[in-house]
Amino acid sequence: MSGLEAQLRARIAEAGPISLADYMAACLMHPEFGYYATRDPFGAGGDFVTAPEISQMFGELLGLCLAQVWLDQGRPARFVLAELGPGRGTLMADVLRATQRVPGFRDAAEVHLVEGSAVLRAAQRRAIAGDVIWHERVESLPEGPLYLLANEFFDALPIRQFQRFGDGWRERVVGLSDDRLALGLSGPVAPPALVERLAETREGDVVEICGPGEAVAAEIGARIAGHGGAALIVDYGDWRSLGDTFQAVKGHAPVDPLAAPGLADLTAHVDFEALARAASPAVYTRLTPQGVFLERLGIGARSEVLARNLSGQALENHLAAYQRLTGAEEMGTLFKVLGLYPEGTTPPPGLDP
């Protein structure tokens, strides 16, 4: 039994079942036993691989996309270039390298990373050259035009789950059964956020709510609407939450999310509609599959350029990475892109208003 599991069992035994959000928060960010607080989970030797780790093309194209928005919005002399949940720093390093050729962009950019893990901050320091400022929360970012990236950030934020029963809801909670952690149901509840969902759900349907995600989206949207900039949110999910998507991954394979608290990555699909609504008064783009977005930005041409100097296994790996990022059976369809931008301006390249 992990140290965190012992703590959770004692907490539940004393005070009763806890919400899924409380369980996820403890598993991911507990200062002593939390998954992200204690390890680097990325890459072949970790538990999962993200798009920036698959190919440099991903970060290059996202960086140039933001640079074009910066140009379209009049080249503000100083702006905040931020990333939420930067992992090892690979994405931001690729962004900074690709945008070096955009005159004035790097000189105007102040790099800010929102990262709560000391382990990952150390990795980011090694990956990113130049001045970087770290933050625990998005609210502490400085005021000013904000050009922001969030790749696989919102899926790791704690969710609550509600299951439809008759004309109401019960919350799915984590309790104890036969001295083991187990999912159960609360008594009847009436979350205000789910009033409208009664008309479109059926008996037994599960709806997920991510309050922390909506709060972050609201903060980002207010800053972009007030000061200019844009945000690119890339994650897996869909326009509206429906169904149980709570999951755990360890060693690149799915595992029971209650089996080893703190030792596996916990995620849930992103409800992009909720983020878009929370980001008002910023304007949001149409939700676009990652593969479509990258192809519109020119990943095919960039892939061809990089392939010219490769052969053998290196070329095969490069072509496999391109397919993994864009293929309909891989990340190309599962992952979606949502853009946020100020009203009255042009949406980020690759995305439709």
Side-chain angles (χ1 to χ4, degrees):
M1 182 189 305
S2 69
L4 181 57
E5 183 173 356
Q7 286 192 12
L8 288 170
R9 287 191 185 196
R11 175 181 173 183
I12 293 169
E14 178 180 355
I18 60 176
S19 70
L20 208 55
D22 286 343
Y23 177 77
M24 287 184 70
C27 289
L28 295 177
M29 293 308 298
H30 187 283
E32 185 178 0
F33 301 116
Y35 180 78
Y36 285 111
T38 58
R39 73 197 67 215
D40 176 351
F42 299 94
D47 293 322
F48 56 89
V49 177
T50 60
E53 305 289 339
I54 293 171
S55 171
Q56 69 187 66
M57 296 184 291
F58 183 81
E60 290 172 347
L61 292 173
L62 266 63
L64 292 173
C65 177
L66 287 184
Q68 184 61 56
V69 177
W70 176 73
L71 292 170
D72 292 341
Q73 294 185 8
R75 302 164 53 103
R78 299 299 295 174
F79 68 89
V80 176
L81 178 61
E83 184 179 356
L84 308 184
R88 290 175 170 172
T90 305
L91 174 56
M92 183 57 74
D94 290 339
V95 165
L96 293 174
R97 186 187 65 256
T99 54
Q100 282 180 331
R101 297 185 178 182
V102 180
F105 184 86
R106 286 289 307 277
D107 290 337
E110 296 179 354
V111 179
H112 295 259
L113 303 179
V114 178
E115 177 60 70
S117 166
V119 174
L120 292 177
R121 283 191 182 193
Q124 293 153 18
R125 287 189 182 95
R126 294 190 294 268
I128 302 171
D131 294 333
V132 178
I133 301 172
W134 277 268
H135 302 262
E136 293 281 342
R137 299 171 58 84
V138 68
E139 290 84 356
S140 68
L141 291 172
E143 295 292 326
L146 174 63
Y147 295 79
L148 180 139
L149 298 170
N151 179 63
E152 291 200 56
F153 170 78
F154 285 94
D155 66 88
L157 296 181
I159 61 162
R160 296 172 69 185
Q161 286 187 336
F162 298 89
Q163 189 165 358
R164 173 80 179 268
F165 280 87
D167 292 330
W169 305 90
R170 295 177 186 267
E171 183 166 7
R172 301 184 83 195
V173 295
V174 179
L176 294 174
S177 177
D178 297 327
D179 199 36
R180 298 181 62 182
L181 294 174
L183 288 173
L185 292 168
S186 73
V189 294
L194 296 184
V195 171
E196 297 179 357
R197 300 302 301 273
L198 288 172
E200 61 181 69
T201 52
R202 299 178 297 178
E203 184 77 11
D205 279 350
V206 173
V207 174
E208 297 171 342
I209 296 176
C210 182
E214 293 180 33
V216 170
E219 183 71 23
I220 295 170
R223 289 167 178 261
I224 290 174
H227 303 287
L232 297 176
I233 299 170
V234 186
D235 228 312
Y236 52 89
D238 217 324
W239 183 244
R240 181 171 294 176
S241 167
L242 183 62
D244 176 10
T245 71
F246 178 51
Q247 57 194 305
V249 172
K250 183 173 177 59
H252 300 271
V255 296
D256 180 352
L258 302 183
L263 302 180
D265 182 39
L266 302 181
T267 65
H269 285 201
V270 172
D271 181 340
F272 284 98
E273 180 186 33
L275 298 185
R277 288 186 172 185
S280 178
V283 180
Y284 58 86
T285 66
R286 295 183 188 180
L287 193 61
T288 303
Q290 175 178 291
V292 172
F293 174 67
L294 294 175
E295 292 290 0
R296 288 175 176 176
L297 293 181
I299 192 172
R302 179 57 175 154
S303 177
E304 290 178 4
V305 170
L306 292 174
R308 291 171 188 166
N309 297 319
L310 301 175
S311 61
Q313 189 61 51
L315 177 59
E316 291 183 17
N317 291 343
H318 169 68
L319 295 176
Y322 168 76
Q323 179 63 27
R324 188 168 180 186
L325 289 176
T326 62
E329 302 302 319
E330 301 195 48
M331 297 176 74
T333 299
L334 175 64
F335 282 75
K336 312 292 197 308
V337 185
L338 180 73
L340 304 176
Y341 61 105
E343 186 173 6
T345 66
T346 304
L351 300 173
D352 296 321

